[in-house]
Amino acid sequence: MARMSNPLLDFNDLPLFDAIQPAHVTPAVEQLLAEADAALEAVTKPGFPARWEAMAGSLDVATERLGRAWGAVSHLNAVADTPELRAAYNEALPRVTEFWTRLGADERLYAKYKAIDPATLNAEQRQAHANAVRNFVLSGAELQGPARERFAKIQERQAELSQKFSENALDATDAWSYYATAEELQGVPDDVVQTARANAQADGKDGHKLTLKMPCYLPVMQFALSSALREKLYRAYVTRASDQAPEELRKFDNTGLVREILALRQEESRLLGYRNFGEVSVVPKMAHSPDQVIKFLRDLAVRAKPYGRKDVEEMREFAARELKLVDPQAWDWPYIGEKLKEAR
């Protein structure tokens, strides 16, 4: 497929999301991986100069194109999922993951970066160079033998688990629906009611089809007069893809995936010489340790809590006085907040 006939290979402007089709994914990924591999082999040859501009002009261009194209595919897979796109994404995912894992742990490339003289770089390049060397270490470039092989397996498995986690969350959201009566939808904006009615008719059902997707879920939580309806949607939303979901939807339970992801993160951390994944996570960040992060959050909570209490008390008083809600529950707060804004 020619470069310009495949929107994933067009880098002249912003990503052409409206033109990308599942059939574009495999040929684009194959071509961009081949170009990135070729660039990697070129810059790691003994005769290739260990100079920032030369390496960036070859390898960074190729990997940036791969990253941009794969980022577009990943975004569409998250927000416009179809069976065809999901299949194309899952087919390419192992190969893309393997490349990035191999790139980050390539000893030849790591040696080239370490051979660059920081004195030849400007301030921005020196920082980028320092970040690159740091990322090599975090990507397992200094691991050897079985540890190196295991690290690569962990990266591949984590990519698979993360994708399955997202699919379960999306499928659980799509699988739930409730057909409400017109009386239950009192207070909900007309356009939301009309859409729900049309969706029910498309299913050959009476009533109004409510889902957990934000264009439906949020306005129901904000405007529906029925606390029972808000509770129904709230409980369905917060238990998606969990062992607390209705029995028929527990096939999307992510509990096992979460446990395996946490175990793999712990193993990855130990391979890199850290006690836990929190320590790995803060390495490229401004915080110096997980304890510093916790202290910051606790200090922020102490400072914010009085204002939060004040807001809650105002909402409680308003709910009791104006809405006859004397004991607001979790599903009532968006409704109370919207009514308070209207009153003001």
Side-chain angles (χ1 to χ4, degrees), residues 30-141:
E30 288 179 348
Q31 180 170 329
L32 293 171
L33 280 174
E35 292 174 0
D37 268 322
L40 175 60
E41 291 305 313
V43 302
T44 53
K45 287 181 178 179
F48 196 93
R51 294 201 306 268
W52 180 268
E53 292 84 353
M55 295 177 66
S58 178
L59 184 59
D60 287 1
V61 170
T63 55
E64 191 277 336
R65 286 179 171 177
L66 173 62
R68 171 172 162 168
W70 187 244
V73 175
S74 299
H75 176 69
L76 286 175
N77 185 59
V79 303
D81 176 69
T82 66
E84 295 78 14
L85 180 58
R86 181 179 295 187
Y89 180 88
N90 284 330
E91 180 183 356
L93 179 62
R95 296 180 61 192
V96 174
T97 302
E98 186 276 334
F99 172 79
W100 288 115
T101 301
R102 177 162 48 85
L103 179 75
D106 192 294
E107 294 177 341
R108 303 166 302 166
L109 185 61
Y110 184 32
K112 286 279 187 180
Y113 270 92
K114 288 193 293 184
I116 294 175
D117 182 2
T120 64
L121 308 177
N122 60 33
E124 294 80 11
Q125 291 170 340
R126 282 196 297 274
Q127 184 63 61
H129 176 258
N131 291 347
V133 172
R134 174 202 66 203
N135 291 340
F136 272 110
V137 176
L138 293 178
S139 297

Side-chain angles (χ1 to χ4, degrees), residues 254-265:
N254 272 329
T255 303
L257 301 183
V258 171
R259 288 175 178 157
E260 187 175 353
I261 289 170
L262 292 175
L264 290 173
R265 285 182 172 182

